[in-house]
Structure formats: structure tokens, C-alpha cells
Amino acid sequence: MEYELIDFKIRGDERGSLVALEGNGDIPFEIKRVYYIFNTAQNVVRGCHSHRKLEQIIFCPHGSCDFILDDGKERITIRLDKPYQGLHIKNSIWREFTNFSDGCVVMVLASEHYDEADYIRDYQTFKKEVHHD
Ligand code: T46
């Protein structure tokens, strides 16, 4: 499974903590889009798709949730619960996310503008495109 969990540098002092993220630096691509998700019910399941091209780094700056990643061969669950940690995933990974804590915020830095044509929202189509099943 190709993914990376990155612990970004915390610039902390007696006033609190700050994480700074620059595109084409800390973030290994140009950031073309930022979106965030909040007000999620605990057991709702979001995602359930893959991307043809998109690369993203996903944060949980407040609260926690579980990301389920599936590359067509294996399926793993990653808990995001640290505000300084980013989950880097490229294209061709089926993702679902759920088990949201109270007040959970999910923030995403994306390499491309929004494009519905980049989504594969059917699992069998994902399997066919990734593994030529
Ligand atoms: C992903 C996971 C982690 C837009 O208009 N612009 C946007 O940039 C996005 C991301 C969504 N939308 C619209 C499309 C839908 O009408 O917002 C609505 C909800 O989007 P979606 O059902 O795709 O949301 P999630 O939470 O299932 O998935 C999102 C991202 O779409 C996806 O790329 O990897 O978060």
C-alpha cells in the first residue's frame, strides 16, 4: 500500500503550537485547493471513491477519525488523531473515512482543482482501472 504519514514540524512556544505548510516544500506538490469537512455524524461513511490523478495530504486538525485505504490488494485503517500529522495519498487508492469524534475537522490540501471526472465512485470500476480485472 502506497501512503505516507508525515509528522510536520511544530513551532511551539509558551503561547501554543503552530504548524506551517508551504506548497512545493513541506507539501511535495503545488497546493491548488484546500477543503475541509466538519459537522459529521460519528458513524457516517464518507469518501468511497478513488482518484485518477489527484494527490492529497489529509489532516485532522481537531478531533479524530479513521481512514480506510484500499489499493485493490489490501485494506488498512489509519487513525488520524494528531493535528500535526498528515496522511499523504496519491491516486489509485480507494478511500473511506468514518468514526468521527465530536467536533472532528478534516482538512485536505489537494494537488488539483475540483474535477468530478477525476473520481472513480464505483468499486468494480476502480478494480478494473487499477488491476485490469
Ligand atoms: C477525498 C475525501 C477525503 C466540491 O464542489 N468541491 C470540492 O473541492 C469537493 C472536495 C467537493 N465538492 C462537492 C462535491 C459534492 O457535491 O461537495 C460535495 C461533497 O463531496 P464528496 O461527496 O466528494 O465528499 P467526500 O467527503 O466523500 O470526499 C472528499 C473529497 O471529495 C475526496 O476527494 O479524497 O474528501
Side-chain angles (χ1 to χ4, degrees), residues 2-29:
E2 205 186 329
Y3 75 93
E4 195 182 1
L5 262 180
I6 307 170
D7 286 348
F8 289 99
K9 184 179 164 68
I10 304 172
R11 297 159 199 280
D13 57 29
E14 65 286 353
R15 298 169 300 168
S17 304
L18 183 155
V19 174
L21 304 167
E22 297 194 359
N24 289 325
D26 312 279
I27 304 301
F29 50 79

CSV table of all heavy atoms in Angstrom, one decimal, residues 2-29:
chain,number,residue,atom,x,y,z
A,2,GLU,N,0.6,2.1,-1.0
A,2,GLU,CA,1.5,3.3,-1.0
A,2,GLU,C,0.8,4.5,-0.3
A,2,GLU,O,-0.2,5.0,-0.8
A,2,GLU,CB,1.7,3.7,-2.5
A,2,GLU,CG,3.0,4.5,-2.7
A,2,GLU,CD,3.2,4.9,-4.1
A,2,GLU,OE1,2.8,4.3,-5.0
A,2,GLU,OE2,3.8,6.0,-4.2
A,3,TYR,N,1.4,4.9,0.8
A,3,TYR,CA,0.9,6.1,1.5
A,3,TYR,C,2.0,6.5,2.5
A,3,TYR,O,2.9,5.8,2.7
A,3,TYR,CB,-0.4,5.8,2.3
A,3,TYR,CG,-0.2,5.0,3.6
A,3,TYR,CD1,0.0,5.6,4.8
A,3,TYR,CD2,-0.1,3.6,3.5
A,3,TYR,CE1,0.3,4.8,5.9
A,3,TYR,CE2,0.2,2.8,4.7
A,3,TYR,CZ,0.4,3.5,5.9
A,3,TYR,OH,0.6,2.7,7.0
A,4,GLU,N,1.9,7.7,3.0
A,4,GLU,CA,2.9,8.2,4.0
A,4,GLU,C,2.2,9.0,5.1
A,4,GLU,O,1.3,9.8,4.8
A,4,GLU,CB,3.9,9.0,3.2
A,4,GLU,CG,5.1,9.3,4.0
A,4,GLU,CD,6.1,10.2,3.3
A,4,GLU,OE1,5.8,10.7,2.2
A,4,GLU,OE2,7.2,10.4,3.9
A,5,LEU,N,2.6,8.7,6.3
A,5,LEU,CA,2.1,9.5,7.4
A,5,LEU,C,3.2,10.4,7.8
A,5,LEU,O,4.3,10.0,8.2
A,5,LEU,CB,1.7,8.6,8.6
A,5,LEU,CG,0.3,8.2,8.9
A,5,LEU,CD1,0.2,7.3,10.1
A,5,LEU,CD2,-0.6,9.4,9.0
A,6,ILE,N,3.0,11.7,7.7
A,6,ILE,CA,4.1,12.7,7.9
A,6,ILE,C,3.8,13.5,9.1
A,6,ILE,O,2.7,14.1,9.3
A,6,ILE,CB,4.2,13.7,6.7
A,6,ILE,CG1,4.3,12.9,5.4
A,6,ILE,CG2,5.3,14.6,6.8
A,6,ILE,CD1,4.1,13.8,4.1
A,7,ASP,N,4.8,13.5,10.0
A,7,ASP,CA,4.7,14.4,11.2
A,7,ASP,C,5.4,15.7,10.9
A,7,ASP,O,6.6,15.8,10.7
A,7,ASP,CB,5.5,13.7,12.4
A,7,ASP,CG,4.7,12.6,13.0
A,7,ASP,OD1,3.5,12.4,12.7
A,7,ASP,OD2,5.3,11.8,13.8
A,8,PHE,N,4.6,16.7,10.7
A,8,PHE,CA,5.1,18.0,10.4
A,8,PHE,C,5.7,18.7,11.6
A,8,PHE,O,5.3,18.4,12.7
A,8,PHE,CB,4.1,18.9,9.7
A,8,PHE,CG,3.7,18.4,8.3
A,8,PHE,CD1,2.6,17.6,8.1
A,8,PHE,CD2,4.6,18.7,7.2
A,8,PHE,CE1,2.3,17.1,6.8
A,8,PHE,CE2,4.3,18.2,6.0
A,8,PHE,CZ,3.2,17.4,5.8
A,9,LYS,N,6.6,19.6,11.3
A,9,LYS,CA,7.3,20.3,12.4
A,9,LYS,C,6.4,21.2,13.2
A,9,LYS,O,5.6,22.0,12.6
A,9,LYS,CB,8.5,21.2,11.8
A,9,LYS,CG,9.4,21.9,12.8
A,9,LYS,CD,10.5,22.6,12.0
A,9,LYS,CE,11.2,23.7,12.8
A,9,LYS,NZ,12.0,23.2,13.9
A,10,ILE,N,6.4,21.2,14.5
A,10,ILE,CA,5.6,22.0,15.4
A,10,ILE,C,6.5,23.2,15.9
A,10,ILE,O,7.6,22.9,16.4
A,10,ILE,CB,5.0,21.3,16.6
A,10,ILE,CG1,4.2,20.1,16.1
A,10,ILE,CG2,4.2,22.2,17.4
A,10,ILE,CD1,3.8,19.2,17.3
A,11,ARG,N,6.1,24.4,15.6
A,11,ARG,CA,6.8,25.6,16.1
A,11,ARG,C,6.1,26.0,17.3
A,11,ARG,O,5.3,26.9,17.3
A,11,ARG,CB,6.8,26.7,15.0
A,11,ARG,CG,7.5,26.2,13.7
A,11,ARG,CD,7.1,27.1,12.5
A,11,ARG,NE,7.5,26.4,11.3
A,11,ARG,CZ,8.7,26.3,10.8
A,11,ARG,NH1,9.7,27.0,11.4
A,11,ARG,NH2,8.9,25.6,9.7
A,12,GLY,N,6.5,25.3,18.4
A,12,GLY,CA,5.8,25.6,19.7
A,12,GLY,C,6.6,26.6,20.6
A,12,GLY,O,7.8,26.6,20.5
A,13,ASP,N,5.8,27.3,21.3
A,13,ASP,CA,6.5,28.1,22.4
A,13,ASP,C,5.4,28.2,23.5
A,13,ASP,O,4.4,27.6,23.5
A,13,ASP,CB,7.0,29.5,21.9
A,13,ASP,CG,5.9,30.3,21.3
A,13,ASP,OD1,4.7,30.2,21.7
A,13,ASP,OD2,6.2,31.1,20.4
A,14,GLU,N,5.7,29.1,24.5
A,14,GLU,CA,4.8,29.1,25.7
A,14,GLU,C,3.4,29.6,25.3
A,14,GLU,O,2.4,29.4,26.1
A,14,GLU,CB,5.4,30.0,26.8
A,14,GLU,CG,5.6,31.5,26.5
A,14,GLU,CD,6.7,31.8,25.5
A,14,GLU,OE1,7.5,30.8,25.2
A,14,GLU,OE2,6.9,32.9,25.1
A,15,ARG,N,3.2,30.1,24.1
A,15,ARG,CA,1.9,30.6,23.7
A,15,ARG,C,1.0,29.5,23.0
A,15,ARG,O,-0.2,29.7,22.8
A,15,ARG,CB,2.0,31.8,22.7
A,15,ARG,CG,2.8,33.0,23.3
A,15,ARG,CD,3.1,34.0,22.2
A,15,ARG,NE,4.0,33.4,21.2
A,15,ARG,CZ,4.3,33.9,20.0
A,15,ARG,NH1,3.8,35.0,19.6
A,15,ARG,NH2,5.1,33.2,19.2
A,16,GLY,N,1.7,28.4,22.7
A,16,GLY,CA,0.9,27.4,22.0
A,16,GLY,C,1.7,26.8,20.8
A,16,GLY,O,3.0,27.0,20.7
A,17,SER,N,1.0,26.1,19.9
A,17,SER,CA,1.7,25.4,18.8
A,17,SER,C,1.3,25.9,17.5
A,17,SER,O,0.1,26.3,17.3
A,17,SER,CB,1.4,23.9,18.9
A,17,SER,OG,1.8,23.4,20.2
A,18,LEU,N,2.2,25.9,16.5
A,18,LEU,CA,1.9,26.4,15.2
A,18,LEU,C,2.5,25.4,14.2
A,18,LEU,O,3.7,25.0,14.3
A,18,LEU,CB,2.4,27.8,15.0
A,18,LEU,CG,2.2,28.5,13.7
A,18,LEU,CD1,2.2,30.1,14.0
A,18,LEU,CD2,3.2,28.2,12.6
A,19,VAL,N,1.8,25.0,13.2
A,19,VAL,CA,2.4,24.2,12.1
A,19,VAL,C,2.2,25.0,10.8
A,19,VAL,O,1.1,25.5,10.5
A,19,VAL,CB,1.6,22.8,11.9
A,19,VAL,CG1,2.1,22.1,10.7
A,19,VAL,CG2,1.8,22.0,13.2
A,20,ALA,N,3.3,25.2,10.0
A,20,ALA,CA,3.2,26.0,8.8
A,20,ALA,C,3.5,25.0,7.6
A,20,ALA,O,4.5,24.2,7.7
A,20,ALA,CB,4.3,27.1,8.8
A,21,LEU,N,2.7,25.1,6.6
A,21,LEU,CA,2.9,24.2,5.4
A,21,LEU,C,3.0,25.0,4.1
A,21,LEU,O,2.1,25.8,3.8
A,21,LEU,CB,1.6,23.3,5.4
A,21,LEU,CG,1.3,22.5,6.7
A,21,LEU,CD1,-0.1,21.9,6.6
A,21,LEU,CD2,2.3,21.4,6.9
A,22,GLU,N,4.1,24.8,3.4
A,22,GLU,CA,4.3,25.5,2.2
A,22,GLU,C,4.2,24.5,1.0
A,22,GLU,O,4.8,23.4,1.1
A,22,GLU,CB,5.6,26.3,2.2
A,22,GLU,CG,5.6,27.3,3.3
A,22,GLU,CD,6.8,28.3,3.1
A,22,GLU,OE1,7.6,28.2,2.2
A,22,GLU,OE2,6.8,29.2,4.0
A,23,GLY,N,3.5,24.9,0.0
A,23,GLY,CA,3.4,24.1,-1.2
A,23,GLY,C,4.8,24.0,-1.9
A,23,GLY,O,5.6,24.9,-1.8
A,24,ASN,N,5.1,22.9,-2.6
A,24,ASN,CA,6.4,22.6,-3.2
A,24,ASN,C,7.5,22.7,-2.2
A,24,ASN,O,8.6,23.1,-2.6
A,24,ASN,CB,6.6,23.6,-4.4
A,24,ASN,CG,5.8,23.3,-5.6
A,24,ASN,OD1,5.5,22.1,-5.8
A,24,ASN,ND2,5.3,24.3,-6.3
A,25,GLY,N,7.2,22.4,-0.9
A,25,GLY,CA,8.2,22.4,0.1
A,25,GLY,C,7.9,21.4,1.1
A,25,GLY,O,8.0,20.2,0.9
A,26,ASP,N,7.2,21.8,2.2
A,26,ASP,CA,6.7,20.8,3.2
A,26,ASP,C,5.7,19.9,2.5
A,26,ASP,O,5.7,18.7,2.7
A,26,ASP,CB,6.0,21.6,4.3
A,26,ASP,CG,6.7,22.7,4.9
A,26,ASP,OD1,7.6,22.5,5.7
A,26,ASP,OD2,6.5,23.9,4.5
A,27,ILE,N,4.9,20.5,1.6
A,27,ILE,CA,3.9,19.7,0.8
A,27,ILE,C,4.6,19.5,-0.5
A,27,ILE,O,4.9,20.4,-1.2
A,27,ILE,CB,2.6,20.5,0.7
A,27,ILE,CG1,2.1,20.9,2.1
A,27,ILE,CG2,1.6,19.8,-0.1
A,27,ILE,CD1,1.7,19.8,3.0
A,28,PRO,N,4.7,18.2,-0.9
A,28,PRO,CA,5.5,17.9,-2.1
A,28,PRO,C,4.8,18.1,-3.5
A,28,PRO,O,5.1,17.5,-4.4
A,28,PRO,CB,5.8,16.4,-1.9
A,28,PRO,CG,4.7,15.9,-1.1
A,28,PRO,CD,4.2,17.0,-0.2
A,29,PHE,N,3.8,19.1,-3.5
A,29,PHE,CA,3.2,19.4,-4.7
A,29,PHE,C,2.7,20.9,-4.6
A,29,PHE,O,2.6,21.4,-3.4
A,29,PHE,CB,2.0,18.5,-5.1
A,29,PHE,CG,1.0,18.2,-4.0
A,29,PHE,CD1,0.0,19.1,-3.7
A,29,PHE,CD2,1.1,17.0,-3.3
A,29,PHE,CE1,-0.9,18.8,-2.7
A,29,PHE,CE2,0.2,16.7,-2.2
A,29,PHE,CZ,-0.8,17.7,-1.9
